[in-house]
Amino acid sequence: MNIRAADAGDTDAVTGVFLSALSGMTYLPQLYTDAETRDFISEVLLPNNEVWVAEEAGRVVGFAGFSDGFLRHLWVHQANQDRGAGTALLKVAMDRCPDGLQLWVFQKNVGARRFYERAGFELAELTDGEGNEEHEPDARYVWKPSPT
């Protein structure tokens, strides 16, 4: 697996990963078209976050986007989940944010919540979902590095 910084040429691959991963979250409403999602990635995600991609056999299989101490996105293509891409991407984010990270995850995403907890994130807050556009209950997790 190769982990590298993303660039504008990765827009379509990152969009494909995002749409694949999102399609497995059947409890979420579909708020945007595929074209609107691609525009978001091209115009908002990539220019406003530090984004890294995981590649297998030259194909992008996952990505992480973070800024201002928040892990804003960590998505892995459905066909590549549970094979180390998410762990590798999370490690990059943690290494690049040595003062700590926060993130939001949907409460129903039990697998992701376990993943973050195993990585050392602690539950900081539960909400009823009124603050997100999906109106789905979510959870905020915080990671602080261990003092050396």
Side-chain angles (χ1 to χ4, degrees), residues 18-98:
F18 183 80
L19 292 172
S20 169
L22 195 60
S23 72
M25 301 172 77
T26 57
Y27 52 88
L28 293 178
Q30 183 174 348
L31 299 175
Y32 302 101
T33 66
D34 292 359
E36 289 170 329
T37 299
R38 185 190 186 287
D39 289 345
F40 167 78
I41 288 168
S42 173
E43 298 169 13
V44 178
L45 175 71
L46 290 172
N48 296 304
N49 293 274
E50 185 172 343
V51 180
W52 290 73
V53 296
E55 294 178 315
E56 285 185 0
R59 189 175 134 262
V60 173
V61 298
F63 72 94
F66 46 92
S67 67
D68 302 323
F70 266 89
L71 179 63
R72 301 189 187 286
H73 295 275
L74 178 55
W75 300 91
V76 176
H77 193 283
Q78 280 195 68
N80 299 86
Q81 291 179 1
D82 299 318
R83 294 174 45 191
T87 300
L89 290 164
L90 182 58
K91 182 179 181 334
V92 169
M94 293 167 83
D95 288 347
R96 306 278 299 166
C97 299

Side-chain angles (χ1 to χ4, degrees), residues 96-117:
R96 306 278 299 166
C97 299
D99 294 331
L101 276 172
Q102 297 183 57
L103 61 88
W104 289 97
V105 60
F106 295 110
Q107 289 182 33
K108 288 182 181 175
N109 195 344
V110 176
R113 293 181 67 186
R114 279 195 306 259
F115 169 75
Y116 292 123
E117 289 167 2

